[in-house]
Amino acid sequence: MAAHSDDPLQHPEVQQASVFGYTAGFLATLALLGAALLLTEGHLMPPEQLLGGISGLALIALLAQCFLSFGLDITSHNIWKSVSLILTVPLFILTIGLTVWMFQQLDALTMIPGASVMPGMTMQPTLLQ
Amino acid sequence: MAVKIVADGKLPPLWHYGHEEHDVIASKTFGFWLYMLSDALIFAGIFAAYGVLDHTMNAAGGPTEAQIVHPIAAFWQTIAVLSSVFAYSLATVALKHGNRLGLMLGIVAAILLGGVFMALELKDFADLYAQGATAQTSGFLSAFFLIIATHGLHMIFGLIWLLVMLAQILRLGLTAPVVAQLLNLRLFWQFQAAIWVCVYVFVYLKGAI
């Protein structure tokens, strides 16, 4: 912080609060999740495409929250938050992705095809597939 | 790289304890931000478990995902949690302008809307238990309840924190430590909305595909 102030309300992180940013973040997230709900309830695409579509909408909603709600950017008071988030996202993806991939391999190599579905069970698309 | 030499021939200090430009508020919020990122990795572990256990075989003859998720009902929860976060975010705009009444009204609105979210979630849990769908029924339901309840526990902690901040504002005013706590609470509360986006899409919507 280059400037000095004894008033905590003048701190850059207090001053970054924005009615426009928060309103846009709220409305964008709500609209994107509403669109994902409509796509899902309408079954407008094949299951795999639908899963990809709603995942994409979720990603856009998360990006909107990062920029509009959290207010992340490359200004001096936010840059290390942005950098630490960027460095954490791969860990998040690796944790989920590698775990699911590992069990997908286990399922494919150890289960008798069709044996996991007992009579009367219905199959849904899962992340393992 | 050019090194700046000061007048007496010594290098400038890299750090200085008690330096006058040390930003106490930024240090606290950055430390809390790192804590939130580690909290996100806890959710990553839970989502990974859910991704593995979300399989018909792991329903163990009990209800499957499609039979227990209700995306439209959960959308009301989505509206409640996003509105609560929005209300608190607007409260911090009032903080920016030194408007203590606006700040407190925003916090009260956030508490009420967060309470609505929790009431809807607990009703959903009660309905599932009434149908015999408990966390002990199957591996899939264990993961389902774990992911929802972990987010719910965060919400409960956040509601308590909001109440504590109301008391602190009344008792201490807008001092530097109180302002730092309000900023940390903003990070925490906005984080709950981000996690809910993942929960809603990858649990409720995916379950209805």
Side-chain angles (χ1 to χ4, degrees):
Chain A
M1 236 174 87
H4 295 265
S5 175
D6 293 329
D7 182 2
L9 301 188
Q10 296 305 313
H11 192 275
E13 292 184 44
V14 176
Q15 291 297 314
Q16 82 173 32
S18 152
V19 174
F20 171 77
Y22 295 148
T23 306
F26 169 69
L27 293 177
T29 307
L30 206 54
L32 289 162
L33 293 185
L37 173 64
L38 288 175
L39 279 177
T40 306
E41 288 294 303
H43 295 283
L44 300 174
M45 293 183 230
E48 287 75 18
Q49 283 183 26
L50 191 51
L51 184 57
I54 62 172
S55 300
L57 289 171
L59 179 64
I60 298 169
L62 291 171
L63 287 173
Q65 291 193 339
C66 283
F67 292 117
L68 298 169
S69 300
F70 288 106
L72 294 181
D73 53 31
I74 54 170
T75 56
S76 61
H77 59 278
N78 270 332
I79 187 162
W80 286 107
K81 284 183 187 159
S82 304
V83 169
S84 56
L85 176 65
I86 289 167
L87 293 174
T88 303
V89 166
L91 302 180
F92 199 89
I93 293 169
L94 284 174
T95 302
I96 299 173
L98 288 181
T99 305
V100 171
W101 174 80
M102 182 176 67
F103 277 91
Q104 192 263 338
Q105 295 300 307
L106 182 71
D107 185 66
L109 294 172
T110 61
M111 301 305 289
I112 300 167
S116 62
V117 185
M118 288 187 276
M121 282 186 173
T122 56
M123 285 300 289
Q124 288 176 259
T126 71
L127 293 178
L128 287 185
Q129 294 169 313
Chain B
M1 189 176 82
V3 177
K4 183 182 173 188
I5 307 291
V6 293
D8 59 359
K10 293 180 181 174
L11 291 172
L14 291 176
W15 66 88
H16 180 229
Y17 294 112
H19 196 276
E20 61 180 359
E21 290 193 7
H22 181 63
D23 185 343
V24 177
I25 290 177
S27 300
K28 286 180 178 175
T29 56
F30 184 60
F32 191 75
W33 174 256
L34 293 180
Y35 166 74
M36 294 313 303
L37 292 182
S38 66
D39 201 23
L41 289 175
I42 291 176
F43 276 101
I46 297 173
F47 273 107
Y50 188 80
V52 170
L53 292 170
D54 169 29
H55 190 280
T56 310
M57 187 175 67
N58 294 314
T64 60
E65 197 177 25
Q67 293 166 322
I68 61 164
V69 296
H70 306 289
I72 295 175
F75 195 69
W76 289 108
Q77 281 181 266
T78 303
I79 293 172
V81 69
L82 292 178
S83 301
S84 178
V85 172
F86 182 50
Y88 184 72
S89 299
L90 291 182
T92 63
V93 176
L95 170 70
K96 167 183 170 180
H97 298 299
N99 179 356
R100 194 184 299 199
L101 178 64
L103 171 63
M104 294 179 71
L105 285 175
I107 293 176
V108 169
I111 291 170
L112 292 175
L113 290 163
V116 169
F117 172 86
M118 285 311 302
L120 291 171
E121 185 159 296
L122 291 174
K123 182 185 177 301
D124 192 28
F125 275 17
D127 289 345
L128 289 171
Y129 268 73
Q131 294 165 22
T134 68
Q136 292 82 12
T137 304
S138 66
F140 160 67
L141 281 174
S142 300
F144 173 81
F145 279 105
L146 179 66
I147 206 165
I148 306 294
T150 303
H151 179 265
L153 282 175
H154 279 74
M155 290 294 292
I156 290 171
F157 180 78
L159 289 172
I160 294 169
W161 194 355
L162 285 163
L163 285 168
V164 168
M165 291 320 298
L166 266 184
Q168 286 203 357
I169 293 164
L170 285 171
R171 189 161 170 264
L172 304 172
L174 298 177
T175 60
V178 171
V179 169
Q181 288 298 311
L182 288 167
L183 293 176
N184 283 344
L185 179 53
R186 183 173 68 188
L187 290 177
F188 182 82
W189 211 228
Q190 289 175 341
F191 177 75
Q192 302 318 313
I195 291 294
W196 182 257
V197 168
C198 300
V199 171
Y200 184 65
V201 170
F202 295 108
V203 176
Y204 287 97
L205 293 185
K206 193 185 75 59
I209 290 176

